[in-house]
Amino acid sequence: MSSRSAAQLRSRYVEQVASELAENRRRQEELAKKIELLKQEETLLTDILTLAERYEGFADATRLPEQAQDEPAVAQAKRGTKTSTKTSTKTGATSGTKEPSRQPLLGDLLLDLLAAHDEPRSAKDLRDELLVRHPGRTPTPQVVRNTLESLVAKGRVRRHKRQRSVLYTPVAPGDAGAQARNGA
């Protein structure tokens, strides 16, 4: 093998290794972002599970901690209103006891953002506004859409379809029953 062909072979190997290293770094960054998104989704699902376990024993909705239908939990917490002090069937703890401070629920934040606008808003617009107003909260677009659809199912938000876009508006407190009767 001549020194020229050896140099060409070495040069090709160096280029190939450099290319593979660059691809490897790109893939590592991509996976790191996916891991971060999965951690956020895990946190959300853990919060949902915790809430579900907390209220598992409440078959009758009238026994749930008191909260006005038109008042988000965030506003109630800021006001200092105590929730029910009934004993939980699972943990034996009372819900009126002090718990570590928690972030407001994503659904409450989205409702507050929707209420601040007169026109319907897309999930993307709401997520963008959420990221600006609450930089500590970085839910994925899918988590925002799922939360909005959950609020639609609960009758707290109304869905509007315009061409290929889905937009959301808050339901006025008096409209919740009318929407449920109409099957909207």
Side-chain angles (χ1 to χ4, degrees):
M1 182 180 280
S2 72
S3 65
R4 182 176 172 183
S5 62
Q8 286 177 338
L9 184 60
R10 190 177 311 123
S11 174
R12 272 192 274 163
Y13 281 142
V14 167
E15 288 176 18
Q16 183 178 357
V17 168
S19 171
E20 288 176 0
L21 279 173
E23 176 62 21
N24 190 349
R25 285 188 189 110
R26 185 197 64 76
R27 183 75 175 134
Q28 284 178 349
E29 289 175 5
E30 184 180 299
L31 289 173
K33 288 178 184 176
K34 284 185 179 181
I35 288 171
E36 183 60 33
L37 292 176
L38 288 171
K39 285 180 181 177
Q40 291 173 2
E41 288 181 10
E42 178 189 27
T43 301
L44 176 67
L45 292 172
T46 302
D47 289 347
I48 290 169
L49 243 169
T50 301
L51 287 171
E53 287 173 354
R54 178 188 279 170
Y55 297 113
E56 186 176 277
F58 294 113
D60 182 11
T62 59
R63 294 181 53 210
L64 289 174
E66 293 181 21
Q67 174 183 342
Q69 287 297 323
D70 59 343
E71 178 181 25
V74 176
Q76 186 179 26
K78 284 180 183 174
R79 208 179 62 231
T81 304
K82 287 191 174 186
T83 57
S84 172
T85 56
K86 294 181 181 170
T87 303
S88 168
T89 57
K90 205 163 194 143
T91 62
T94 60
S95 58
T97 61
K98 278 203 169 197
E99 295 179 8
S101 63
R102 301 185 101 174
Q103 290 185 340
L105 296 175
L106 179 60
D108 292 331
L109 294 176
L110 292 172
L111 281 171
D112 289 344
L113 294 175
L114 278 171
H117 297 279
D118 294 333
E119 71 281 349
R121 310 274 294 160
S122 71
K124 180 192 179 313
D125 291 341
L126 288 167
R127 180 177 182 269
D128 292 344
E129 187 175 350
L130 179 76
L131 294 174
V132 170
R133 291 190 182 197
H134 303 277
R137 299 294 291 261
T138 55
T140 64
Q142 185 63 48
V143 169
V144 171
R145 283 191 300 272
N146 290 349
T147 304
L148 288 166
E149 288 303 317
S150 172
L151 292 170
V152 169
K154 292 176 183 176
R156 298 181 75 189
V157 170
R158 186 172 290 129
R159 178 189 318 114
H160 307 274
K161 291 187 179 180
R162 289 190 189 155
Q163 296 160 355
R164 293 176 52 184
S165 299
V166 178
L167 304 172
Y168 300 91
T169 55
V171 172
D175 291 349
Q179 181 181 3
R181 284 190 300 275
N182 293 335

